[in-house]
Amino acid sequence: MTEKEKYLGEFEQMILLAVLRLDHQAYGTTIRQLLAQEINRDVTIGALYTTLDRLEKKGLITSTLGEATNERGGRAKKYFQVSAEGQRALKRSKDALNNLWQGIALSQAGELYEPI
């Protein structure tokens, strides 16, 4: 496994998946809203942008600036897209987790059942 092929952390996966789901509407506020709505996780804007910056430096996402808007005080929104490398990293992480989950079943209370 090369340096670029390291597995993603849980939060990185969640952000990448949110960006994919939001498609061309993926910017800070919409990503935060999706995470709050879908997984009941309230993410601070600082934590979100720190992770987005890290993912962009790794080449897993790209960003573009939209038009400046009056409601944002003349500032432009920064839109994000998952790169091909980001999609490969997500697939690698998903496959690794699926492999590890083989033979494991949890009860409703979270205790382990006997392996399948």
Side-chain angles (χ1 to χ4, degrees), residues 48-60:
L48 177 64
Y49 274 103
T50 298
T51 304
L52 287 166
D53 288 343
R54 183 173 63 249
L55 291 170
E56 191 165 19
K57 286 177 184 164
K58 289 181 177 182
L60 303 179

Side-chain angles (χ1 to χ4, degrees), residues 91-106:
K91 181 169 180 354
R92 226 181 359 263
S93 290
K94 181 180 183 225
D95 290 346
L97 286 171
N98 286 341
N99 287 338
L100 287 169
W101 273 103
Q102 295 297 313
I104 295 176
L106 300 176

Side-chain angles (χ1 to χ4, degrees), residues 12-116:
E12 292 174 324
Q13 289 180 60
M14 289 178 183
I15 289 178
L16 288 173
L17 290 168
V19 170
L20 284 170
R21 284 194 51 189
L22 290 164
D23 197 24
H24 296 293
Q25 294 301 313
Y27 59 95
T29 300
T30 58
I31 296 168
R32 283 185 74 215
Q33 289 170 344
L34 182 72
L35 293 174
Q37 175 184 333
E38 294 297 325
I39 62 170
N40 199 29
R41 186 161 177 178
D42 186 22
V43 176
T44 66
I45 200 70
L48 177 64
Y49 274 103
T50 298
T51 304
L52 287 166
D53 288 343
R54 183 173 63 249
L55 291 170
E56 191 165 19
K57 286 177 184 164
K58 289 181 177 182
L60 303 179
I61 61 172
T62 59
S63 65
T64 56
L65 288 178
E67 296 293 317
T69 59
N70 289 335
E71 62 268 8
R72 293 177 46 83
R75 296 176 315 184
K77 290 178 184 173
K78 190 172 188 179
Y79 291 93
F80 298 93
Q81 285 190 296
V82 178
S83 67
E85 181 59 36
Q87 290 182 37
R88 285 190 291 274
L90 272 171
K91 181 169 180 354
R92 226 181 359 263
S93 290
K94 181 180 183 225
D95 290 346
L97 286 171
N98 286 341
N99 287 338
L100 287 169
W101 273 103
Q102 295 297 313
I104 295 176
L106 300 176
S107 71
Q108 293 295 329
E111 297 100 18
L112 283 175
Y113 285 131
E114 289 297 314
I116 301 172

